[in-house]
Coordinates of all heavy atoms in Angstrom, one line a residue:
M1 N 17.7 19.1 5.4 CA 17.0 20.2 4.8 C 15.5 20.1 5.1 O 14.9 19.1 4.9 CB 17.3 20.3 3.3 CG 16.5 21.3 2.6 SD 16.8 21.3 0.8 CE 18.4 22.1 0.8
A2 N 14.9 21.2 5.4 CA 13.5 21.2 5.7 C 12.7 21.0 4.4 O 13.0 21.6 3.4 CB 13.1 22.5 6.4
N3 N 11.7 20.2 4.5 CA 10.8 20.0 3.3 C 9.6 20.9 3.6 O 8.7 20.5 4.4 CB 10.5 18.5 3.3 CG 9.5 18.2 2.1 OD1 8.8 19.0 1.6 ND2 9.6 16.9 1.7
S4 N 9.5 22.0 2.9 CA 8.4 22.9 3.1 C 7.0 22.4 2.8 O 6.1 22.8 3.4 CB 8.6 24.2 2.3 OG 8.7 23.9 0.9
K5 N 6.9 21.4 2.0 CA 5.6 20.8 1.6 C 5.0 20.1 2.8 O 3.9 20.2 3.1 CB 5.8 19.9 0.4 CG 4.5 19.3 0.0 CD 4.7 18.4 -1.3 CE 3.4 17.8 -1.7 NZ 3.6 16.9 -2.8
S6 N 5.8 19.3 3.5 CA 5.3 18.5 4.6 C 5.8 18.9 6.0 O 5.5 18.3 7.0 CB 5.6 17.1 4.3 OG 6.9 16.9 4.1
N7 N 6.7 20.0 6.0 CA 7.2 20.5 7.3 C 7.9 19.5 8.1 O 7.6 19.2 9.3 CB 6.1 21.1 8.1 CG 5.5 22.4 7.4 OD1 6.3 23.2 7.0 ND2 4.2 22.5 7.4
V8 N 8.9 18.8 7.5 CA 9.7 17.8 8.1 C 11.2 18.1 7.8 O 11.5 18.8 6.9 CB 9.3 16.4 7.7 CG1 7.9 16.0 8.0 CG2 9.6 16.1 6.2
V9 N 12.0 17.5 8.7 CA 13.4 17.4 8.4 C 13.8 15.9 8.3 O 13.1 15.1 8.9 CB 14.3 18.2 9.4 CG1 14.2 19.7 9.2 CG2 14.1 17.7 10.8
I10 N 14.8 15.6 7.5 CA 15.1 14.3 7.2 C 16.5 13.9 7.7 O 17.5 14.6 7.4 CB 15.0 14.0 5.7 CG1 13.6 14.4 5.3 CG2 15.4 12.6 5.3 CD1 13.4 14.8 3.8
G11 N 16.6 12.8 8.5 CA 17.9 12.4 8.9 C 18.4 12.9 10.2 O 17.9 13.9 10.7
K12 N 19.3 12.2 10.8 CA 19.8 12.5 12.2 C 20.4 13.9 12.3 O 20.2 14.6 13.2 CB 20.7 11.4 12.7 CG 21.2 11.6 14.1 CD 21.9 10.3 14.6 CE 23.3 10.5 14.6 NZ 24.1 9.4 15.2
R13 N 21.3 14.2 11.4 CA 22.0 15.5 11.4 C 21.0 16.7 11.5 O 21.2 17.6 12.3 CB 23.0 15.6 10.3 CG 23.9 16.8 10.4 CD 24.9 16.9 9.2 NE 25.6 15.6 9.1 CZ 25.9 15.1 7.9 NH1 25.7 15.7 6.8 NH2 26.6 13.9 7.8
Q14 N 20.1 16.6 10.6 CA 19.1 17.7 10.5 C 18.2 17.7 11.7 O 17.8 18.8 12.2 CB 18.4 17.7 9.2 CG 19.4 18.0 8.0 CD 18.8 17.9 6.7 OE1 17.6 17.7 6.5 NE2 19.6 17.9 5.7
I15 N 17.8 16.6 12.2 CA 17.0 16.5 13.4 C 17.7 17.1 14.5 O 17.1 17.9 15.3 CB 16.6 15.0 13.6 CG1 15.5 14.5 12.6 CG2 16.0 14.8 15.1 CD1 15.2 13.0 12.6
L16 N 19.0 16.7 14.7 CA 19.7 17.3 15.8 C 19.8 18.8 15.7 O 19.7 19.5 16.7 CB 21.1 16.7 15.9 CG 22.1 17.2 17.0 CD1 21.4 16.9 18.4 CD2 23.4 16.5 16.9
R17 N 20.1 19.3 14.5 CA 20.2 20.8 14.3 C 18.9 21.5 14.8 O 18.9 22.5 15.5 CB 20.5 21.1 12.9 CG 20.7 22.6 12.6 CD 20.9 22.9 11.2 NE 19.7 22.7 10.5 CZ 19.6 22.1 9.3 NH1 20.7 21.8 8.6 NH2 18.4 21.9 8.7
E18 N 17.8 20.9 14.3 CA 16.5 21.6 14.7 C 16.1 21.3 16.1 O 15.5 22.2 16.7 CB 15.4 21.1 13.7 CG 15.6 21.5 12.3 CD 15.6 23.0 12.1 OE1 14.8 23.7 12.8 OE2 16.3 23.5 11.2
A19 N 16.5 20.2 16.7 CA 16.2 19.9 18.1 C 16.9 21.0 19.0 O 16.4 21.4 20.0 CB 16.7 18.5 18.5
K20 N 18.2 21.3 18.6 CA 18.9 22.3 19.4 C 18.2 23.7 19.3 O 18.4 24.5 20.2 CB 20.3 22.5 18.8 CG 21.2 21.3 19.1 CD 22.6 21.5 18.5 CE 23.5 20.3 18.8 NZ 24.8 20.4 18.1
K21 N 17.4 23.9 18.3 CA 16.7 25.2 18.1 C 15.3 25.1 18.7 O 14.5 26.0 18.6 CB 16.6 25.6 16.7 CG 17.9 25.8 16.0 CD 17.6 26.1 14.5 CE 18.9 26.2 13.7 NZ 18.5 26.4 12.3
D22 N 14.9 23.9 19.3 CA 13.6 23.6 19.9 C 12.5 23.7 18.8 O 11.4 24.2 19.0 CB 13.3 24.6 21.0 CG 12.1 24.1 21.8 OD1 11.9 22.9 21.9 OD2 11.4 25.0 22.3
N23 N 12.8 23.2 17.6 CA 11.9 23.2 16.5 C 11.2 21.9 16.2 O 10.4 21.8 15.3 CB 12.6 23.7 15.2 CG 12.9 25.2 15.3 OD1 12.3 26.0 16.0 ND2 13.9 25.6 14.5
I24 N 11.6 20.8 16.9 CA 11.0 19.5 16.6 C 9.9 19.1 17.6 O 10.1 19.3 18.8 CB 12.1 18.4 16.6 CG1 13.3 18.7 15.7 CG2 11.6 17.0 16.4 CD1 13.0 18.4 14.2
V25 N 8.8 18.7 17.1 CA 7.7 18.3 18.0 C 7.7 16.7 18.2 O 7.3 16.2 19.2 CB 6.3 18.8 17.4 CG1 5.9 18.1 16.2 CG2 5.3 18.6 18.5
E26 N 8.2 16.0 17.2 CA 8.2 14.5 17.3 C 9.3 14.0 16.3 O 9.5 14.5 15.2 CB 6.9 14.0 16.9 CG 6.8 12.5 17.1 CD 5.4 11.9 16.8 OE1 4.5 12.6 16.4 OE2 5.2 10.7 17.0
I27 N 9.9 12.9 16.7 CA 10.8 12.2 15.8 C 10.2 10.8 15.5 O 9.8 10.1 16.4 CB 12.2 12.0 16.5 CG1 12.8 13.3 16.8 CG2 13.1 11.2 15.6 CD1 14.1 13.2 17.7
M28 N 10.1 10.5 14.2 CA 9.6 9.2 13.8 C 10.9 8.4 13.3 O 11.6 8.9 12.4 CB 8.6 9.3 12.7 CG 7.3 10.0 13.1 SD 6.0 10.0 12.0 CE 6.7 10.5 10.5
I29 N 11.1 7.2 13.9 CA 12.3 6.4 13.6 C 11.8 5.2 12.9 O 10.9 4.5 13.3 CB 13.0 6.1 14.9 CG1 13.3 7.3 15.7 CG2 14.3 5.3 14.6 CD1 13.8 7.1 17.1
A30 N 12.5 4.8 11.8 CA 12.2 3.6 11.0 C 12.6 2.4 11.8 O 13.7 2.3 12.3 CB 12.9 3.6 9.7
S31 N 11.7 1.4 11.9 CA 11.9 0.2 12.6 C 13.0 -0.6 12.0 O 13.6 -1.5 12.7 CB 10.6 -0.6 12.8 OG 10.1 -1.0 11.5
D32 N 13.3 -0.4 10.7 CA 14.3 -1.2 10.1 C 15.7 -0.5 9.9 O 16.6 -1.0 9.3 CB 13.8 -1.7 8.7 CG 13.5 -0.6 7.7 OD1 13.4 0.6 8.2 OD2 13.2 -0.9 6.6
A33 N 15.8 0.6 10.6 CA 17.1 1.3 10.7 C 18.1 0.5 11.6 O 17.6 -0.4 12.4 CB 16.9 2.7 11.2
E34 N 19.4 0.7 11.5 CA 20.3 0.0 12.3 C 20.1 0.4 13.8 O 19.7 1.5 14.1 CB 21.7 0.5 11.9 CG 22.2 0.0 10.5 CD 23.6 0.3 10.2 OE1 24.4 0.6 11.1 OE2 23.9 0.3 9.0
Q35 N 20.3 -0.6 14.6 CA 20.0 -0.5 16.0 C 20.8 0.7 16.7 O 20.3 1.4 17.5 CB 20.3 -1.8 16.8 CG 19.6 -1.9 18.1 CD 18.1 -1.8 18.0 OE1 17.5 -2.2 17.0 NE2 17.5 -1.2 19.0
E36 N 22.0 0.9 16.3 CA 22.9 2.0 16.8 C 22.3 3.3 16.4 O 22.2 4.3 17.2 CB 24.3 1.9 16.3 CG 25.2 2.9 16.9 CD 26.7 2.6 16.4 OE1 27.1 1.5 16.4 OE2 27.3 3.6 15.9
Y37 N 21.8 3.5 15.2 CA 21.1 4.7 14.7 C 19.9 5.0 15.5 O 19.6 6.1 16.0 CB 20.8 4.5 13.2 CG 20.3 5.7 12.5 CD1 21.1 6.7 12.1 CD2 18.9 5.8 12.3 CE1 20.6 7.9 11.4 CE2 18.4 6.9 11.6 CZ 19.2 7.9 11.2 OH 18.7 9.0 10.5
I38 N 19.1 3.9 15.7 CA 17.8 4.1 16.5 C 18.1 4.6 17.9 O 17.5 5.5 18.4 CB 17.1 2.7 16.5 CG1 16.5 2.4 15.1 CG2 15.9 2.8 17.6 CD1 15.9 1.0 15.0
Q39 N 19.1 3.9 18.6 CA 19.5 4.3 19.9 C 20.0 5.8 20.0 O 19.7 6.5 20.9 CB 20.5 3.4 20.5 CG 20.0 2.0 20.8 CD 18.8 2.1 21.8 OE1 18.8 2.7 22.8 NE2 17.7 1.3 21.4
S40 N 20.8 6.2 19.0 CA 21.3 7.6 19.0 C 20.1 8.6 18.9 O 20.2 9.6 19.5 CB 22.3 7.8 17.9 OG 21.8 7.7 16.6
L41 N 19.1 8.2 18.1 CA 18.0 9.1 17.9 C 17.1 9.2 19.2 O 16.6 10.2 19.6 CB 17.1 8.7 16.7 CG 17.8 9.2 15.4 CD1 17.2 8.4 14.2 CD2 17.6 10.6 15.2
I42 N 17.0 8.0 19.9 CA 16.3 8.0 21.1 C 17.0 8.9 22.2 O 16.3 9.6 22.9 CB 16.1 6.5 21.6 CG1 15.1 5.8 20.7 CG2 15.6 6.5 23.1 CD1 15.0 4.3 21.0
E43 N 18.3 8.8 22.2 CA 19.1 9.7 23.1 C 18.8 11.1 22.8 O 18.7 12.0 23.7 CB 20.5 9.3 23.1 CG 20.9 8.0 23.7 CD 20.4 7.9 25.2 OE1 20.7 8.9 25.9 OE2 19.9 6.9 25.5
I44 N 18.8 11.5 21.5 CA 18.6 12.9 21.1 C 17.2 13.3 21.6 O 17.0 14.4 22.2 CB 18.7 13.1 19.6 CG1 20.2 13.0 19.2 CG2 18.1 14.4 19.2 CD1 20.4 12.9 17.7
A45 N 16.2 12.4 21.4 CA 14.8 12.7 21.8 C 14.8 13.0 23.3 O 14.1 13.9 23.8 CB 13.9 11.6 21.4
K46 N 15.4 12.1 24.1 CA 15.4 12.2 25.5 C 16.1 13.5 26.0 O 15.6 14.2 26.9 CB 16.0 11.0 26.2 CG 15.1 9.7 26.1 CD 15.8 8.5 26.7 CE 14.9 7.3 26.6 NZ 15.6 6.1 27.2
Q47 N 17.2 13.7 25.4 CA 18.0 14.9 25.8 C 17.3 16.2 25.6 O 17.4 17.1 26.4 CB 19.3 14.9 25.0 CG 20.2 16.1 25.3 CD 21.5 16.1 24.4 OE1 21.8 15.2 23.7 NE2 22.3 17.2 24.6
Y48 N 16.5 16.3 24.5 CA 15.8 17.5 24.2 C 14.3 17.5 24.5 O 13.6 18.4 24.2 CB 16.0 17.9 22.7 CG 17.4 18.3 22.4 CD1 18.3 17.4 21.9 CD2 17.9 19.6 22.7 CE1 19.6 17.7 21.7 CE2 19.2 19.9 22.4 CZ 20.1 19.0 21.9 OH 21.4 19.4 21.7
G49 N 13.9 16.4 25.2 CA 12.5 16.3 25.6 C 11.5 16.2 24.5 O 10.4 16.8 24.5
I50 N 11.9 15.5 23.4 CA 11.0 15.4 22.2 C 10.4 14.0 22.2 O 11.0 13.0 22.5 CB 11.9 15.5 21.0 CG1 12.6 16.9 21.0 CG2 11.1 15.3 19.7 CD1 13.7 17.0 19.9
K51 N 9.1 14.0 21.9 CA 8.4 12.7 21.8 C 8.9 12.0 20.5 O 9.3 12.6 19.5 CB 6.9 13.0 21.5 CG 6.0 11.8 21.4 CD 4.5 12.2 21.4 CE 4.1 12.4 20.0 NZ 2.6 12.6 19.9
Y52 N 9.0 10.7 20.7 CA 9.5 9.9 19.5 C 8.7 8.6 19.4 O 8.1 8.2 20.4 CB 11.0 9.5 19.7 CG 11.3 8.5 20.7 CD1 11.4 7.2 20.5 CD2 11.6 8.9 22.0 CE1 11.6 6.3 21.5 CE2 11.9 8.0 23.0 CZ 11.9 6.7 22.7 OH 12.2 5.8 23.7
R53 N 8.7 8.0 18.2 CA 8.1 6.7 18.1 C 8.8 5.9 17.0 O 9.4 6.5 16.0 CB 6.6 6.8 17.7 CG 6.3 7.6 16.5 CD 4.8 7.7 16.4 NE 4.5 8.8 15.5 CZ 3.6 8.8 14.6 NH1 2.9 7.7 14.4 NH2 3.4 9.8 13.8
I54 N 8.9 4.6 17.1 CA 9.5 3.8 16.1 C 8.3 3.2 15.3 O 7.5 2.5 15.9 CB 10.3 2.7 16.8 CG1 11.4 3.3 17.6 CG2 10.9 1.7 15.8 CD1 12.3 2.4 18.5
C55 N 8.3 3.5 14.1 CA 7.2 3.1 13.2 C 7.6 3.1 11.8 O 8.5 3.7 11.4 CB 6.1 4.1 13.4 SG 6.5 5.8 12.9
G56 N 7.0 2.2 11.0 CA 7.2 2.2 9.6 C 8.6 1.7 9.3 O 9.4 1.3 10.1
G57 N 9.0 1.9 8.0 CA 10.3 1.5 7.5 C 10.9 2.6 6.7 O 10.2 3.6 6.3
M58 N 12.2 2.4 6.4 CA 12.9 3.4 5.6 C 12.3 3.7 4.2 O 12.1 4.8 3.8 CB 14.4 3.1 5.5 CG 15.1 3.1 6.8 SD 16.9 2.9 6.8 CE 17.1 1.4 6.0
A59 N 11.9 2.6 3.5 CA 11.3 2.7 2.2 C 9.9 3.5 2.3 O 9.6 4.3 1.5 CB 11.1 1.4 1.6
E60 N 9.2 3.2 3.4 CA 7.9 3.8 3.6 C 8.1 5.3 3.8 O 7.3 6.1 3.2 CB 7.2 3.2 4.8 CG 5.8 3.7 5.1 CD 5.3 3.0 6.3 OE1 5.6 1.9 6.6 OE2 4.4 3.6 7.0
F61 N 9.1 5.7 4.6 CA 9.3 7.1 4.8 C 9.7 7.8 3.5 O 9.2 8.9 3.2 CB 10.5 7.3 5.8 CG 10.2 7.0 7.3 CD1 11.2 7.1 8.2 CD2 8.9 6.8 7.7 CE1 10.9 6.8 9.6 CE2 8.6 6.5 9.0 CZ 9.6 6.5 10.0
S62 N 10.5 7.1 2.7 CA 11.0 7.7 1.4 C 9.8 8.0 0.5 O 9.7 9.0 -0.1 CB 12.0 6.8 0.7 OG 13.1 6.7 1.5
A63 N 8.9 7.0 0.5 CA 7.7 7.2 -0.4 C 6.8 8.2 0.1 O 6.3 9.1 -0.6 CB 7.0 5.8 -0.5
K64 N 6.5 8.2 1.4 CA 5.5 9.1 2.0 C 6.0 10.6 2.0 O 5.2 11.5 1.8 CB 5.3 8.8 3.5 CG 4.2 9.6 4.1 CD 3.9 9.1 5.5 CE 2.8 10.0 6.1 NZ 2.4 9.5 7.5
Y65 N 7.3 10.8 2.1 CA 7.8 12.2 2.2 C 8.6 12.6 0.9 O 9.3 13.6 0.9 CB 8.7 12.4 3.4 CG 7.9 12.2 4.7 CD1 7.9 11.1 5.4 CD2 7.1 13.3 5.1 CE1 7.1 10.9 6.6 CE2 6.3 13.2 6.3 CZ 6.3 12.0 7.0 OH 5.5 11.9 8.1
S66 N 8.5 11.8 -0.1 CA 9.1 12.1 -1.4 C 10.6 12.3 -1.3 O 11.2 13.3 -1.8 CB 8.5 13.3 -2.1 OG 7.1 13.1 -2.3
I67 N 11.3 11.3 -0.6 CA 12.7 11.4 -0.4 C 13.4 10.4 -1.5 O 12.9 9.3 -1.7 CB 13.1 10.9 1.0 CG1 12.4 11.8 2.0 CG2 14.6 11.1 1.2 CD1 12.4 11.2 3.4
D68 N 14.4 10.8 -2.1 CA 15.1 10.0 -3.1 C 15.8 8.8 -2.6 O 15.9 7.8 -3.3 CB 16.1 10.9 -3.9 CG 15.4 12.0 -4.7 OD1 14.2 11.8 -5.0 OD2 16.1 13.0 -5.0
V69 N 16.2 8.8 -1.4 CA 16.9 7.7 -0.8 C 16.2 7.3 0.5 O 15.6 8.1 1.1 CB 18.4 8.0 -0.5 CG1 19.2 8.3 -1.8 CG2 18.6 9.2 0.4
P70 N 16.4 6.0 0.9 CA 15.8 5.6 2.2 C 16.3 6.4 3.3 O 17.5 6.7 3.4 CB 16.2 4.1 2.3 CG 16.5 3.7 0.9 CD 17.0 4.9 0.2
S71 N 15.4 6.7 4.3 CA 15.8 7.5 5.4 C 15.4 6.8 6.7 O 14.3 6.3 6.8 CB 15.2 8.9 5.4 OG 15.6 9.6 6.5
G72 N 16.3 6.8 7.7 CA 16.0 6.2 9.0 C 15.2 7.0 10.0 O 14.7 6.4 11.0
A73 N 15.0 8.3 9.7 CA 14.3 9.1 10.7 C 13.7 10.4 10.0 O 14.4 10.9 9.1 CB 15.2 9.5 11.8
I74 N 12.6 10.8 10.5 CA 11.9 12.0 10.1 C 11.6 12.9 11.4 O 11.1 12.3 12.3 CB 10.6 11.7 9.4 CG1 10.8 10.8 8.2 CG2 9.9 13.0 9.0 CD1 11.5 11.3 7.0
G75 N 11.9 14.1 11.3 CA 11.6 15.0 12.4 C 10.5 15.9 12.0 O 10.5 16.6 11.0
L76 N 9.4 15.9 12.8 CA 8.2 16.8 12.5 C 8.5 18.1 13.1 O 8.7 18.2 14.3 CB 6.9 16.2 13.0 CG 6.6 14.8 12.5 CD1 5.3 14.3 13.1 CD2 6.5 14.8 11.0
L77 N 8.4 19.2 12.3 CA 8.7 20.5 12.8 C 7.5 21.1 13.6 O 6.3 20.8 13.2 CB 9.1 21.5 11.7 CG 10.4 21.0 11.0 CD1 10.6 21.9 9.7 CD2 11.6 21.1 11.9
K78 N 7.7 22.0 14.5 CA 6.7 22.6 15.3 C 5.9 23.7 14.5 O 4.7 23.8 14.7 CB 7.2 23.3 16.5 CG 7.7 22.4 17.6 CD 8.2 23.2 18.8 CE 8.6 22.2 19.9 NZ 9.1 23.0 21.1
Y79 N 6.6 24.4 13.7 CA 5.9 25.5 12.9 C 5.3 25.0 11.6 O 5.8 24.0 11.0 CB 6.9 26.6 12.7 CG 8.2 26.2 12.1 CD1 8.3 26.1 10.7 CD2 9.3 25.9 12.9 CE1 9.6 25.7 10.2 CE2 10.5 25.6 12.4 CZ 10.6 25.5 11.0 OH 11.8 25.1 10.5
V80 N 4.3 25.7 11.1 CA 3.7 25.3 9.8 C 4.2 26.3 8.8 O 4.4 27.4 9.0 CB 2.2 25.4 10.0 CG1 1.5 25.1 8.7 CG2 1.7 24.4 11.1

């Protein structure tokens, strides 16, 4: 679900949905996420030509984006 306050989507499923619509400018992947999850997000980024970076951790994403549970990835939306 899009977070209107910070213009992000949270998690792989929502990132993929928005990537298909060409709405993602960058994917931020938590360095402490499972390796398989990280690789699947990198493949999504490559497939849709989206810049990605592995940075921070799941708890850090949760705190920064006011998410109730730890999240392994954040997608930054193109539109404001």
Side-chain angles (χ1 to χ4, degrees):
M1 172 181 287
N3 180 336
S4 60
K5 182 177 178 184
S6 54
N7 295 315
V8 300
V9 289
I10 299 154
K12 185 169 102 176
R13 187 177 310 144
Q14 293 175 10
I15 288 171
L16 179 58
R17 183 185 67 219
E18 294 299 325
K20 288 178 180 179
K21 297 177 190 176
D22 194 32
N23 288 338
I24 302 282
V25 68
E26 182 177 9
I27 301 171
M28 296 188 311
I29 306 168
S31 60
D32 58 353
E34 292 184 18
Q35 203 56 36
E36 185 176 310
Y37 185 80
I38 291 172
Q39 288 305 313
S40 67
L41 284 160
I42 290 171
E43 288 302 316
I44 290 169
K46 288 179 179 178
Q47 179 180 356
Y48 292 96
I50 301 169
K51 183 171 89 172
Y52 71 91
R53 59 186 160 134
I54 299 173
C55 59
M58 293 189 299
E60 183 180 334
F61 286 174
S62 295
K64 184 174 182 178
Y65 295 100
S66 302
I67 307 166
D68 293 336
V69 296
S71 178
I74 303 291
L76 303 178
L77 298 172
K78 287 183 177 180
Y79 51 86
V80 176

